[in-house]
Amino acid sequence: MKIHTTNYKNVFIEVAEDCPVDMGVIPPLKGDKKTVANMQFEILNKAPYQYTSDEVLFQVFANRNDLTQEEFAQAKSEFFSKGQPCFRASPLTKRYGFGIHCNEESKIAMYGMETLEYAKYLANKSIGKVKAMRSKRG
């Protein structure tokens, strides 16, 4: 079975062109439930450069589906047997104003678009740049 990955190396994922905010915004809860954006934000805010994109996306999937530790291995191989949307499609990069830096080891951290770090990654010619996906066509 082919295993797909969402990991990038030495790449900065820029905020989407049609992002509705002009600075990083903490995603709001939906009632008392955490959204995908909340869960991604919490993981990256607490532990920058500790996890790869694959690890964060799978952890959010596991949390949303209440997986037990025993179910992780099987669920992980099934999850990555299909292509998964990467952080270019994340609400953090599309809606909430965060860029994602992927380092040499594919570990990721987020930076609000108003920060000096965001500007430094944009200006850095030694890393690749990709834009987050637009929310609307056109």
Side-chain angles (χ1 to χ4, degrees):
M1 177 172 7
K2 180 168 173 37
I3 298 296
H4 298 269
T5 184
T6 64
N7 293 341
Y8 285 100
K9 278 188 180 186
N10 280 333
V11 166
F12 186 66
I13 301 173
E14 301 174 38
V15 170
E17 288 178 13
D18 62 349
C19 181
V21 298
D22 58 5
M23 61 184 286
V25 175
I26 298 172
L29 293 173
K30 196 169 221 160
D32 61 349
K33 281 200 168 286
K34 289 182 182 178
T35 63
V36 167
N38 291 116
M39 289 184 251
Q40 290 176 351
F41 179 88
E42 280 185 0
I43 293 168
L44 293 176
N45 194 43
K46 286 180 189 167
Y49 298 113
Q50 295 296 307
Y51 303 106
T52 65
S53 172
D54 284 352
E55 291 167 335
V56 173
L57 295 174
F58 182 73
Q59 187 59 57
V60 169
F61 171 81
N63 291 351
R64 292 183 79 207
N65 290 283
D66 294 321
L67 297 182
T68 64
Q69 278 305 123
E70 295 77 38
E71 297 171 307
F72 263 49
Q74 177 69 30
K76 196 171 204 172
S77 65
E78 287 175 20
F79 185 76
F80 288 111
S81 71
K82 305 185 275 295
Q84 296 295 329
C86 70
F87 266 89
R88 290 185 58 221
S90 166
L92 294 179
T93 58
K94 290 174 66 171
R95 165 79 185 86
Y96 295 107
F98 291 96
I100 304 290
H101 177 243
C102 313
N103 71 13
E104 183 66 38
E105 300 166 341
S106 297
K107 305 284 183 169
I108 63 174
M110 68 178 175
Y111 296 96
M113 62 192 295
E114 77 286 359
T115 64
L116 186 57
E117 291 89 350
Y118 186 97
K120 283 181 182 176
Y121 285 119
L122 273 188
N124 186 338
K125 301 213 183 304
S126 68
I127 60 173
K129 316 280 185 322
V130 292
K131 283 210 182 280
M133 295 176 176
R134 295 170 54 90
S135 294
K136 297 176 180 69
R137 293 180 184 200

